[in-house]
Amino acid sequence: MRRRFSKGVIAILVIVTVLAVAITVGVFTLINRVTPFKETGEGCRITTPGGTLDLEIDQAQVAAVIAAVAARRKLPERAVVIAYATGIQESKLLSLPFGDRDSVGVFQQRPSQGWGTPKQLIDPVYATGKFFSALVKVKDYLKLPLHEAAQRVQRSADGSAYAQHEDEGKILAAAFTGRVPRAVHCWFPEPTSTPRASGTATPKPPSDRAMRGLVHAMGASATFAAASSREGWLRASWSVAHAQKFGLRRIRYSGQTWTSADGEAGWKPDTTAPAGKVEIS
């Protein structure tokens, strides 16, 4: 036996359904707006006069590596912007172990096209070096529109896609190259100190692991000494981005200090922080 509904009842049901969906969407939107970014547990914020970006810590580490490799090669900031825009389009600045066909890494380079082995290309330092080696061979790459310069390196299916990330690339480059001071800060949960058999707390991780990581990106002559403000903030930003990875708890430079215990607050004034070197612990 079929039950028939009047047009009025059907209309009421439709209105109720629409209202329920609207309320659900509204509540979800409101929650997203009032929930602070801090509650995601970890992340990095990049703040420059050109704008603000939020990154995952893995993305910030890749961004820091790209700037460090560029500094090692004495490349201009424009080259870094091109690399960032390319990396955002190809992998969202993540060193992916997979991709289209045999593509891997932050720039989705293909071993079958001679970029290197999959193991090499997963290393952001190696992959960035290969990208810059190809970029500097592009005639007048600094004068070309960004998407054209990137496409001549990547030879992707749609080279115009790189252009949409130029503004993001400029923000990242201004921060991670050190041109804008105090532009990078990250936060993450503090690890719980694990008691040792003797009853003493686990000793703090040595910073030499971080030093080796920086040397890997910038070259064997790299130290945490800073010959200029820009160099100092490049190294300080690299250190903040890698703080979770290397167990760093405090970074001091040029009258400012960042601590992992209060990472989301960013850099704070510290009159004792030296200008000539970046101190990490």
Side-chain angles (χ1 to χ4, degrees):
M1 185 174 182
R2 300 179 63 185
R3 178 179 297 177
R4 296 183 178 180
F5 294 94
S6 68
K7 292 183 178 179
V9 171
I10 293 174
I12 292 173
L13 289 174
V14 170
I15 292 172
V16 170
T17 301
V18 170
L19 286 174
V21 171
I23 291 172
T24 301
V25 171
V27 170
F28 181 78
T29 302
L30 180 61
I31 290 173
N32 279 342
R33 286 182 178 177
V34 302
T35 301
F37 192 73
K38 182 177 181 179
E39 291 190 8
T40 61
E42 62 182 48
C44 297
R45 181 157 291 155
I46 318 303
T47 306
T48 74
T52 299
L53 293 175
D54 288 330
L55 301 180
E56 297 175 7
I57 290 179
D58 286 349
Q59 292 173 309
Q61 289 174 359
V62 170
V65 164
I66 290 173
V69 172
R72 175 181 181 177
R73 293 177 174 232
K74 302 187 186 307
L75 296 177
E77 189 170 320
R78 178 64 176 175
V80 184
V81 175
I82 296 170
Y84 284 146
T86 304
I88 293 169
Q89 174 62 29
E90 295 291 353
S91 68
K92 299 188 184 298
L93 283 183
L94 293 169
S95 190
L96 302 176
F98 56 83
D100 180 46
R101 288 173 281 189
D102 60 335
S103 300
V104 296
V106 62
F107 299 105
Q108 289 292 279
Q109 295 150 324
R110 298 181 61 189
S112 63
Q113 294 183 348
W115 287 99
T117 68
K119 182 178 180 180
Q120 288 174 321
L121 295 172
I122 288 298
D123 178 0
V125 175
Y126 178 90
T128 300
K130 296 293 286 187
F131 178 87
F132 283 139
S133 291
L135 179 64
V136 298
K137 293 177 182 177
V138 175
K139 184 178 179 181
D140 295 328
Y141 78 92
L142 294 175
K143 298 178 182 179
L144 292 174
L146 182 144
H147 69 279
E148 289 186 21
Q151 175 65 354
R152 292 189 189 182
V153 175
Q154 297 295 103
R155 303 185 184 279
S156 65
D158 182 11
S160 65
Y162 301 117
Q164 65 186 314
H165 303 298
E166 184 165 359
D167 288 342
E168 296 164 274
K170 289 179 178 178
I171 293 171
L172 294 174
F176 282 101
T177 63
R179 179 165 63 80
V180 176
R182 307 182 301 277
V184 179
H185 70 275
C186 302
W187 61 93
F188 45 86
E190 283 283 281
T192 303
S193 181
T194 304
R196 304 175 70 190
S198 62
T200 60
T202 302
K204 65 181 181 181
S207 61
D208 61 338
R209 289 184 61 224
M211 174 66 83
R212 290 195 296 272
L214 183 59
V215 168
H216 180 47
M218 295 195 70
S221 62
T223 68
F224 276 98
S228 66
S229 174
R230 184 165 184 156
E231 180 183 351
W233 283 112
L234 181 150
R235 297 177 189 227
S237 297
W238 186 95
S239 300
V240 169
H242 287 82
Q244 184 183 47
K245 179 177 181 179
F246 293 122
L248 307 181
R249 296 293 170 258
R250 185 175 70 164
I251 299 162
R252 304 171 70 238
Y253 176 65
S254 191
Q256 299 287 324
T257 293
W258 171 90
T259 63
S260 60
D262 194 20
E264 193 177 15
W267 292 86
K268 296 181 178 180
D270 178 357
T271 57
T272 66
K277 64 178 179 178
V278 179
E279 292 184 348
I280 65 173
S281 58

